[in-house]
Amino acid sequence: QNYPNPFNPSTSINFNLPVDGKVSIRLYDMSGKEVAVLVNEVKTAGYYSVNYNASSLSSGVYFYSISADNFSATKKMLLVK
């Protein structure tokens, strides 16, 4: 889960990779429109933290989807300005 949540204007998403692989983190608005691609690359096994500054977005609920090899998850985050 991102921290802090709710956030203004920046937040961090932490994740751990047990094996090397391609990682994708994409941010979507409530309508399902993709608003940002935070990560889309091959990474080695380890712990990562991605910082995102959402100052260009309006307040509201957003979803981020993280996928790596055979794992996928979608989480909700709240931007409050």
Side-chain angles (χ1 to χ4, degrees):
Q1 185 67 49
N2 64 303
Y3 180 81
N5 192 20
F7 66 98
N8 177 24
S10 62
T11 188
S12 296
I13 299 172
N14 302 315
F15 61 97
N16 189 17
L17 287 178
V19 294
D20 298 358
K22 182 171 167 63
V23 178
S24 173
I25 301 177
R26 297 172 186 271
L27 185 64
Y28 301 92
D29 63 13
M30 282 293 289
S31 66
K33 179 182 162 202
E34 184 179 287
V35 294
V37 176
L38 307 181
V39 177
N40 190 23
E41 59 189 65
V42 174
K43 292 199 174 282
T44 57
Y47 182 80
Y48 294 91
S49 181
V50 176
N51 293 313
Y52 179 66
N53 187 328
S55 58
S56 63
L57 299 177
S58 58
S59 295
V61 177
Y62 293 88
F63 298 93
Y64 68 91
S65 175
I66 180 168
S67 60
D69 290 329
N70 59 354
F71 172 81
S72 181
T74 301
K75 304 276 186 175
K76 181 169 76 169
M77 54 197 234
L78 182 63
L79 171 60
V80 179
K81 288 192 174 181

